[in-house]
Each structure stands twice: as C-alpha cells, then as structure tokens.
Amino acid sequence: MDKNDVLNKMRQERFVKNNGCVLRAVNILREKYVNLSDLMPAISDDITESEYIDCVNYLSESEYIQLRNRISKENTTLADTELRLLEGKLTPKGIQLLSGRISDVCVER
C-alpha cells in the first residue's frame, strides 16, 4: 500500500465516523430543527468544515436528515442554500438508521 492508498483509506474511515457523529448530533433535538452552522463547532474539533459539509450533503441526499432554509422555512438542499442558512432534523429514515432498523456502510452508529 502506498502513501496515497493509506491517505484515501484514512479519509474514507473518517467520512464514515463523521457521518455518524453529525447524525447523532442532529438527533439531540430529534423533533426540532437545529441550526447546522451552530452545530458544526459543537460537534468536534476533529471535523473540518469541508468534512462537515460533506457529511451534511451525504446525510441529506441519503434522506437521513431533512434540510430547510432557517429564514423562509422552505425545504431546500445544500446545493441551493448556504450552510449558514440551513437547519436540519432527522427524517424517519434517519431515526431508523440510528435505532439499528436499517444500516448504511457509510454511517457509523
């Protein structure tokens, strides 16, 4: 295994771990929306902003979290709205994932 292979494997493992961390953090206010830009610094000093954005994107595109614009309250996507304007909450599918009813190899429980 060369250096690039090792770095790629480390990124992949961090992605899986970080997805679980972000999902559990959003779950703290399960039935309420949480401001995602406020949540980022509270999660971990180990997750960079770009890693956090990757997680929010994966979790929302996988339908584990629902995103909306915190001002207009309209559903949106990360592609259409700046992170500072996003809030999110778990979907039923996200709750199923955390409770072990379904699994995803890209999300650590």
Side-chain angles (χ1 to χ4, degrees):
M1 207 180 258
D2 70 3
K3 181 180 175 183
N4 287 334
D5 291 338
V6 171
L7 290 173
N8 284 336
K9 180 136 177 77
M10 288 171 53
R11 282 188 201 104
Q12 291 168 356
E13 290 175 5
R14 285 183 57 84
F15 180 69
V16 171
K17 179 182 175 192
N18 291 344
N19 280 334
C21 181
V22 171
L23 192 65
R24 287 188 300 277
V26 172
N27 184 51
I28 291 171
L29 298 173
R30 182 181 282 184
E31 72 281 356
K32 305 260 189 223
Y33 280 88
V34 60
N35 184 326
L36 294 179
S37 61
D38 288 348
L39 185 63
M40 185 179 69
I43 291 178
S44 170
D45 294 333
D46 296 337
I47 299 176
T48 67
E49 182 176 357
S50 64
E51 289 173 329
Y52 180 75
I53 290 169
D54 284 344
C55 292
V56 169
N57 186 58
Y58 179 79
L59 295 170
S60 64
E61 293 295 320
S62 298
E63 300 177 349
Y64 298 131
I65 60 174
Q66 180 178 339
L67 301 179
R68 74 178 186 184
N69 183 304
R70 65 181 178 86
I71 296 170
S72 70
K73 304 300 184 197
E74 293 180 13
N75 289 343
T76 190
T77 65
L78 183 59
D80 294 330
T81 309
E82 294 179 43
L83 181 65
R84 66 181 182 78
L85 296 175
L86 286 176
E87 55 187 11
K89 74 177 196 120
L90 261 62
T91 63
K93 188 175 177 182
I95 294 168
Q96 291 171 4
L97 180 63
L98 283 181
S99 68
R101 298 293 183 201
I102 61 174
S103 62
D104 185 323
V105 295
C106 289
V107 181
E108 180 181 274
R109 282 190 325 141

